[in-house]
Amino acid sequence: MAYLDLENLRTVFLDDEALRVRRLQRQSCGSLQVTSGRIVACDPLVQPERPPFVRSVSGRGAFPAELLQHEGRHALAVLWLRDRRGLQPADLHWEPALLDGQSQNELGDDEFYGYPVDAGVGCFMDADCTAAIAEREARESSANPDYGSYYDDVLDEELGSKDMADHYPLGEGSANNVLIFSSGWGDGSYPSFWALDAAREPVALVTDFMTMQDGDARSEDDKRDDAYLASLSPERLAALEALGAAAIKGDAAAIRPLLDGGLAGANDIVPSLGETALFSAIRMNQLEALRVLLGSAPCPAMPEHLRIEGKAESYSAFARWLKKPRVPGLVELLERAEAAAAAEPAGGKSLWKRLFS
């Protein structure tokens, strides 16, 4: 089946809160002046003469465009041809936006027709804008003997640090503009898709910059952390945060009642820190806090996602790996506790309890 990530495309219909959960943000990039109904998506600095898509739109006028971004990187660009608030995503049909001569039937599994990007930007524009860009470039190059490129001499200041521009080649008030934005991971090839209603009329045009899968910009670690946080009751979350803070400060007196309360464990991840209280005490060189956290139990295994492969895969190895030497007795305490864990029998009194009780 040709490439089509429906969950990616459908994210353009989510509200701001649903986008936030997926680590996405919506940002307006202006309104496109549609004069011919023939829409072009391309890298306007490399291929401004790219032909429009075969499917045209019936409306004329200004149509809003938005970007969905993750940590400043654009994941999707959408040109709205109808107000999204009146649309039901489940009722829409999606199809690739094709050029004349292209056919879905020629695509293999995970293949797609995309526009090539070589200058790190993409765009939406009406086909009429192609002539406006050519006219502006001709003006600039004839008037300036040191003319270098459309980017350097025309667009650089407009794009600025925002990585987007609502650019009118022939000046504000002219008929056509081009909405320019940085393209996902930069150079590459990116597909566009039409969202069609029941009458097969286009309601949106979306370019997928393929920076995410299944409509979720979170990494697997992000998803794990979010699921863990959602599993915690308010009481347990408060206890864990208090335990982490006490471990960092070395407040041994505060640690003991928190452990005794049963809501927070020394080897549980503290959400705001992304590490366990044991890890924090070692990192902050808090020997007495570590002693209370270990208590009379053997040292637990370090959670897998905290391990540094080949360098620090246990708490004692982490303590030795840290650049600043640990206070006297800290590494030795961990080594004894880990030795007790390794020697702990299936039943009966553990080595740790035999040695220190």
Side-chain angles (χ1 to χ4, degrees):
M1 180 180 177
Y3 174 83
L4 176 66
D5 191 329
L6 279 176
E7 293 306 313
N8 271 6
L9 300 175
R10 287 171 175 164
T11 57
V12 300
F13 293 95
L14 297 177
D15 61 28
D16 289 346
E17 177 57 23
L19 289 176
R20 185 195 63 77
V21 170
R22 302 183 187 206
R23 304 290 200 276
L24 291 165
Q25 291 179 313
R26 177 179 282 111
Q27 184 173 10
S28 171
C29 62
S31 293
L32 182 67
Q33 301 297 330
V34 176
T35 53
S36 74
R38 299 171 299 138
I39 307 300
V40 177
C42 68
D43 180 336
L45 301 178
V46 174
Q47 200 180 26
E49 75 287 352
R50 186 174 175 85
F53 296 120
V54 173
R55 181 181 287 278
S56 60
V57 301
S58 57
R60 300 293 185 271
F63 293 87
E66 295 175 334
L67 297 164
L68 265 58
Q69 60 181 11
H70 169 62
E71 297 179 350
R73 190 180 302 281
H74 298 147
L76 298 166
V78 54
L79 175 65
W80 290 108
L81 305 168
R82 196 181 301 171
D83 190 337
R84 69 179 174 85
R85 291 171 293 185
L87 300 170
Q88 295 298 321
D91 297 334
L92 299 178
H93 171 75
W94 292 88
E95 68 173 31
L98 304 177
L99 303 182
D100 187 32
Q102 294 178 340
S103 171
Q104 294 187 64
N105 297 330
E106 296 177 357
L107 297 174
D109 289 349
D110 291 329
E111 291 183 336
F112 58 86
Y113 292 112
Y115 64 78
V117 170
D118 196 43
V121 294
C123 81
F124 292 128
M125 64 179 175
D126 188 275
D128 287 345
C129 194
T130 298
I133 292 174
E135 182 179 340
R136 175 66 178 275
E137 184 158 36
R139 287 183 189 176
E140 295 288 336
S141 59
S142 63
N144 179 7
D146 296 322
Y147 180 79
S149 69
Y150 201 90
Y151 176 85
D152 291 333
D153 295 271
V154 178
L155 277 176
D156 188 24
E157 187 173 343
E158 283 190 52
L159 283 168
S161 61
K162 297 185 295 182
D163 289 331
M164 67 177 68
D166 181 357
H167 173 59
Y168 283 78
L170 301 182
E172 292 284 347
S174 58
N176 293 107
N177 66 330
V178 51
L179 301 177
I180 305 174
F181 31 79
S182 61
S183 54
W185 295 106
D187 297 347
S189 182
Y190 303 108
S192 299
F193 301 88
W194 295 105
L196 307 175
D197 63 16
R200 290 300 194 264
E201 288 295 318
V203 301
L205 176 64
V206 181
T207 298
D208 185 351
F209 289 119
M210 304 172 75
T211 65
M212 61 179 178
Q213 290 183 328
D214 300 324
D216 198 327
R218 294 177 297 173
S219 67
E220 292 305 312
D221 285 347
D222 289 336
K223 293 176 186 177
R224 180 204 62 222
D225 293 346
D226 287 350
Y228 174 62
L229 183 60
S231 74
L232 301 176
S233 67
E235 295 78 13
R236 188 169 180 223
L237 176 60
L240 283 168
E241 295 295 341
L243 183 64
I248 287 174
K249 293 177 182 177
D251 190 348
I255 290 172
R256 196 178 304 279
L258 288 166
L259 294 176
D260 292 343
L263 290 175
N267 206 38
D268 294 337
I269 298 295
V270 179
S272 66
L273 300 176
E275 61 190 35
T276 66
L278 284 170
F279 194 99
S280 297
I282 296 166
R283 179 171 59 84
M284 299 302 294
N285 232 351
Q286 302 289 4
L287 176 59
E288 291 309 311
L290 180 61
R291 198 184 304 278
V292 176
L293 287 165
L294 287 170
S296 60
C299 186
M302 181 189 289
E304 186 173 353
H305 72 276
L306 293 180
R307 300 173 191 173
I308 304 170
E309 187 174 356
K311 297 179 180 179
E313 300 185 11
S314 67
Y315 282 120
S316 64
F318 171 62
R320 291 191 298 271
W321 175 80
L322 290 167
K323 186 175 181 180
K324 181 180 178 181
R326 301 299 88 187
V327 296
L330 188 146
V331 173
E332 292 77 9
L333 175 65
L334 287 168
E335 289 176 340
R336 291 197 302 271
E338 288 174 351
E344 188 171 22
K349 199 172 187 180
S350 71
L351 176 61
W352 181 260
K353 289 184 178 179
R354 293 199 303 273
L355 289 174
F356 298 100
S357 61

